[in-house]
């Protein structure tokens, strides 16, 4: 069964191009004041509690989902990608229009290696486009300055001889085929290395002499593994998706952890959000199924984007499918949090 490929231009309603020089962090003039936002949330909460649950599909006409369609879309996501799971949430916070064991979706420990400002750094420096690849401009002379990439043979061939090769823009790599068998390259014999080390180790000599000490075991000494200093520690995020009854769309929530696994404060989470959206469509609210204050991407524009995608499908002769709605949702949300590496649907054909 074919799932149409999602195109990034279908997100332009919600995600304008990244501005060169934009910085992640608190905006100079927030559009949505906290008090206005709280009043709006209170109003929407009251309306949602009084309104009946929609059962009529308006996915094609309005880009919205019924609770049943949301569950079907979530089932499709968890089926295709096992990192996403259904959760039931706190019993006192569950809603009756969703199954008790399918209150919201969650994926945990999603890596976020870079801050959004790293994207700004890349854009601010000179780049060049070569065969649809964005490459940094090179300052090397010769053919590289003309936009032509050097072959591996060129790196090992030209200028490989002569003492001034390196100073004259010579090869980066010099290959020597006989580096093992050439004269003057006799390698030491490592066959008796363990025995030599044991003889030079005072602890091993003490054990062999019956003096006890720290050394123990058949080898006469203990080898301890040193900590790996090269392990890269990054921020991680727990991403969850709930159903917003008022807007009748999915809603994404971000809960971050620093490199030591400690929860991030909201202002630090904003470092991983494009500055265009900080305190505009990205706010801090209590998670509806846990009550924990969590950064959320407000769903007020989600149905507009979904409607645009549905219209594009129809124009291309593709039958719209509501069970694909969360795939599309995650795709355009990735334009708001581009450095949180959850988007694994880019080039997948079903």
């Amino acid at each position: 069964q074919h799932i149409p490929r999602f195109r990034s231009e279908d997100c332009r309603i919600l995600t304008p191009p990244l501005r060169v020089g934009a910085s992640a962090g608190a905006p100079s003039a927030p559009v949505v004041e906290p008090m206005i936002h709280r009043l709006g949330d209170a109003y929407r909460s009251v309306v949602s509690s009084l309104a009946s649950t929609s059962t009529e599909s308006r996915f094609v006409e309005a880009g919205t989902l019924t609770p049943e369609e949301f569950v079907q879309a979530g089932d499709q996501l968890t089926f295709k990608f096992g990192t996403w799971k259904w959760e039931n949430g706190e019993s006192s916070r569950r809603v009756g229009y969703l199954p008790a064991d399918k209150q919201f979706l969650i994926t945990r420990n999603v890596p976020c290696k870079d801050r959004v400002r790293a994207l700004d750094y890349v854009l601010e420096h000179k780049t060049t486009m070569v065969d649809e690849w964005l490459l940094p401009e090179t300052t090397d002379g010769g053919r590289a300055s003309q936009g032509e990439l050097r072959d591996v043979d060129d790196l090992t061939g030209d200028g490989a001889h002569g003492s001034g090769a390196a100073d004259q823009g010579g090869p980066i790599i010099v290959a020597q085929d006989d580096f093992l068998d050439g004269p003057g390259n006799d390698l030491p014999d490592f066959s008796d290395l363990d025995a030599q080390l044991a003889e030079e180790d005072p602890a091993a000599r003490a054990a062999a002499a019956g003096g006890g000490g720290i050394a123990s075991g058949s080898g006469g000494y203990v080898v301890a593994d040193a900590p790996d200093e090269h392990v890269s520690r990054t921020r991680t995020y727990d991403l969850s998706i709930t159903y917003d009854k008022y807007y009748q769309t999915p809603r994404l929530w971000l809960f971050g952890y620093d490199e030591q696994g400690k929860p991030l404060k909201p202002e630090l989470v904003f470092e991983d959000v494009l500055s265009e959206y900080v305190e505009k469509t990205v706010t801090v609210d209590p998670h509806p199924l846990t009550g924990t204050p969590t950064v959320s991407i407000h769903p007020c524009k989600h149905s507009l984007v979904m409607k645009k995608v549905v219209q594009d499908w129809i124009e291309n002769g593709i039958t719209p499918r509501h069970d694909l709605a969360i795939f599309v949702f995650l795709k355009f949300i990735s334009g708001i949090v581009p450095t949180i590496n959850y988007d694994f649907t880019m080039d997948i054909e079903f």
Side-chain angles (χ1 to χ4, degrees):
Q1 199 169 21
H2 176 70
I3 292 182
R5 184 184 294 274
F6 182 75
R7 304 179 305 174
S8 59
E9 56 265 29
D10 293 328
C11 298
R12 58 180 174 267
I13 295 177
L14 187 61
T15 56
L18 178 63
R19 296 196 310 263
V20 177
S23 60
S28 57
V31 173
V32 180
E33 295 295 338
M35 183 58 67
I36 297 177
H37 173 67
R38 295 290 178 263
L39 291 175
D41 270 358
Y43 167 78
R44 287 184 287 269
S45 178
V46 172
V47 172
S48 297
S49 63
L50 297 178
S52 60
T53 304
S54 175
T55 58
E56 179 182 357
S57 176
R58 300 190 69 245
F59 179 66
V60 175
E61 298 86 351
T64 58
L65 296 174
T66 65
E68 182 180 1
E69 290 173 334
F70 172 76
V71 171
Q72 292 171 356
D75 286 343
Q76 183 74 269
L77 180 68
T78 58
F79 173 73
K80 294 294 185 181
F81 301 101
T83 55
W84 286 94
K85 305 290 184 183
W86 282 109
E87 291 284 342
N88 52 17
E90 297 181 5
S91 58
S92 60
R93 296 178 177 272
R94 294 172 192 164
V95 293
Y97 49 82
L98 292 174
D101 59 342
K102 295 182 178 181
Q103 293 286 301
F104 69 102
L105 294 152
I106 190 168
T107 183
R108 294 181 171 88
N109 299 320
V110 178
C112 180
K113 182 178 180 180
D114 300 312
R115 308 288 72 79
V116 166
R117 68 173 69 94
L119 299 181
D120 301 329
Y121 176 85
V122 172
L123 292 177
E124 288 172 357
H125 288 68
K126 293 182 179 180
T127 57
T128 182
M129 187 69 69
V130 178
D131 295 331
E132 298 185 355
W133 289 88
L134 189 64
L135 301 175
E137 289 186 355
T138 176
T139 57
D140 295 338
R143 290 179 299 172
S145 63
Q146 302 174 6
E148 182 178 350
L149 298 179
R150 302 188 64 184
D151 198 339
V152 173
D153 295 336
D154 299 331
L155 298 179
T156 59
D158 300 338
H161 306 286
S163 59
D167 298 334
Q168 301 174 4
I172 299 175
I173 303 172
V174 178
Q176 182 179 344
D177 295 334
D178 59 347
F179 74 100
L180 287 179
D181 301 328
N185 288 312
D186 295 334
L187 297 178
D189 183 8
F190 292 103
S191 59
D192 296 331
L193 181 60
D194 287 341
Q196 296 174 22
L197 291 176
E199 291 176 359
E200 297 176 1
D201 188 351
R205 290 198 301 268
I214 299 177
S216 62
S218 59
Y221 54 91
V222 177
V223 177
D225 293 331
D228 190 350
E229 298 180 355
H230 303 289
V231 173
S232 177
R233 297 184 181 275
T234 66
R235 286 185 178 183
T236 58
Y237 278 88
D238 292 346
L239 277 60
S240 59
I241 302 174
T242 61
Y243 179 77
D244 191 285
K245 184 180 178 183
Y246 182 85
Y247 290 102
Q248 300 179 34
T249 63
R251 182 172 184 174
L252 186 72
W253 303 79
L254 309 169
F255 195 88
Y257 302 88
D258 65 15
E259 291 77 2
Q260 285 72 43
K262 299 179 180 179
L264 291 173
K265 296 181 179 180
E267 56 267 24
L268 296 179
V269 175
F270 288 163
E271 294 179 349
D272 299 320
V273 179
L274 288 186
S275 57
E276 285 88 346
Y277 304 99
V278 175
E279 295 189 24
K280 296 179 182 179
T281 57
V282 179
T283 56
V284 181
D285 299 291
H287 192 286
L289 274 306
T290 66
T292 303
T294 308
V295 173
S296 172
I297 299 177
H298 204 269
C300 56
K301 301 292 184 181
H302 294 355
S303 62
L304 296 178
V305 178
M306 194 66 66
K307 181 180 178 181
K308 168 67 178 64
V309 174
V310 170
Q311 290 174 346
D312 185 71
W313 287 351
I314 295 174
E315 291 173 0
N316 287 277
I318 301 172
T319 302
R321 291 175 49 186
H322 64 266
D323 60 329
L324 305 182
I326 293 183
F327 290 100
V328 178
F329 170 77
L330 289 174
K331 180 62 63 176
F332 66 72
I333 289 295
S334 67
I336 300 177
V337 286
T339 59
I340 300 180
N341 192 25
Y342 73 86
D343 183 17
F344 37 62
T345 63
M346 179 66 71
D347 295 318
I348 294 179
E349 291 283 358
F350 296 84

